[in-house]
């Protein structure tokens, strides 16, 4: 008996609607996502069980490395530009357009005012290397404010609603954190937040 051959039919699925949905989802996530600003120095924050979230706007981020070096900055580039203009006028520092451009592209302020012009004159790759050895001075200038305090005061003048958030490494000595907090308290900046990583394991126990 002859076998009956069943004619095979190709199955064709229209993928156009799925690709349209994927494109819409991709555009949605790109427009609503918040990109993290790269930090000048890699810092691993300690763990905690606090679930309070740091505000996404109007925040002056203060970074403290294990060596006690201090950096600060805000994601609002217009505020950073206004802070730079005020600080250069106060310290008598002259910057050319290229140096100003490098400043706006930098993540945080970390060079002392006396070295700021030379630092901003470097190529971006060399700036990344140089910033590792710098940091804002915490020593007072002629009995007045330190450069770190001047940057914080300027940030407050530019944006009175700005909040201060401190992020330190888990290996940063307590003495360095205490000195930084004393600097803020001397300016009557008694409200600030500490950035930590959520300890999910301890939270679940």
């Amino acid at each position: 008996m002859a076998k009956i051959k069943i004619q095979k039919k190709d199955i064709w699925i229209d993928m156009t609607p799925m690709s349209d949905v994927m494109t819409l989802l991709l555009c949605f996530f790109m427009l609503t996502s918040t990109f993290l600003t790269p930090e000048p120095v890699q810092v691993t924050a300690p763990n905690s069980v606090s679930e309070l979230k740091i505000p996404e706007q109007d925040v002056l981020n203060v970074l403290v490395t294990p060596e006690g070096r201090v950096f600060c900055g805000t994601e609002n580039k217009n505020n950073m530009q206004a802070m730079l203009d005020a600080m250069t006028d106060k310290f008598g520092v002259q910057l050319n357009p290229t140096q100003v451009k490098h400043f706006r592209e930098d993540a945080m302020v970390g060079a002392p005012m006396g070295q700021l012009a030379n630092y901003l004159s470097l190529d971006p790759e060399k700036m990344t290397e140089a910033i590792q050895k710098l940091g804002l001075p915490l020593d007072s200038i002629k009995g007045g404010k330190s450069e770190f305090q001047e940057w914080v005061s300027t940030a407050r003048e530019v944006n009175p609603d700005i909040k201060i958030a401190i992020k330190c490494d888990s290996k940063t000595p307590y003495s360095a954190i205490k000195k930084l907090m004393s600097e803020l308290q001397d300016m009557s900046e008694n409200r600030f937040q500490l950035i930590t990583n959520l300890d999910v394991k301890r939270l679940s126990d």
Side-chain angles (χ1 to χ4, degrees):
M1 183 176 178
K3 293 182 179 180
I4 301 175
K5 294 183 178 180
I6 300 176
Q7 186 178 2
K8 295 182 179 180
K9 296 183 179 180
D10 294 334
I11 299 176
W12 181 79
I13 300 176
D14 187 5
M15 300 295 290
T16 304
M18 183 176 293
S19 62
D20 291 341
V21 171
M22 292 300 295
T23 303
L24 290 174
L25 287 174
L26 180 61
C27 292
F28 171 77
F29 286 121
M30 288 179 63
L31 293 173
T32 57
S33 298
T34 302
F35 296 96
L36 296 176
T37 303
E39 297 174 343
V41 180
Q42 188 67 29
V43 168
T44 304
N47 295 333
S48 74
V49 294
S50 175
E51 297 186 58
L52 295 176
K53 293 184 178 181
I54 302 297
E56 296 182 359
Q57 297 179 346
D58 299 332
V59 177
L60 180 67
N61 295 299
V62 179
L63 188 69
V64 188
T65 69
E67 298 79 18
R69 297 190 179 94
V70 178
F71 306 85
C72 72
T74 177
E75 294 186 1
N76 190 317
K77 295 301 181 181
N78 293 329
N79 287 351
M80 288 292 289
Q81 181 67 57
M83 291 164 57
L84 176 66
D85 294 340
M87 288 293 290
T88 51
D89 289 342
K90 186 177 297 184
F91 284 83
V93 177
Q94 299 291 331
L95 299 178
N96 58 42
T98 302
Q99 293 168 331
V100 173
K101 179 183 177 183
H102 285 174
F103 178 86
R104 290 181 64 89
E105 294 173 351
D106 216 357
M108 287 184 168
V109 180
M113 294 304 297
Q115 304 178 38
L116 184 61
N118 292 334
Y119 166 72
L120 295 175
S121 298
L122 300 173
D123 294 331
E125 296 79 9
K126 293 184 178 179
M127 287 175 61
T128 304
E129 298 177 4
I131 198 66
Q132 307 288 327
K133 302 177 182 179
L134 300 176
L136 297 178
L138 298 181
D139 299 325
S140 61
I141 304 172
K142 297 180 181 180
K145 294 181 180 178
S146 65
E147 288 191 19
F148 167 72
Q149 291 176 324
E150 292 286 1
W151 279 105
V152 174
S153 297
T154 305
R156 180 67 68 191
E157 293 171 3
V158 171
N159 183 2
D161 297 326
I162 202 164
K163 303 172 185 63
I164 300 175
I166 302 174
K167 181 179 181 180
C168 62
D169 194 274
S170 57
K171 297 180 181 179
T172 302
Y174 173 73
S175 57
I177 303 300
K178 183 179 179 181
K179 184 176 182 180
L180 178 68
M181 291 181 176
S182 297
E183 291 274 304
L184 293 172
Q185 290 171 349
D186 289 344
M187 306 167 56
S188 298
E189 293 286 354
N190 298 312
R191 296 179 63 87
F192 45 82
Q193 295 173 295
L194 298 177
I195 300 176
T196 57
N197 294 323
L198 183 62
D199 193 337
V200 180
K201 183 178 179 181
R202 287 178 57 191
L203 193 64
S204 60
D205 291 343

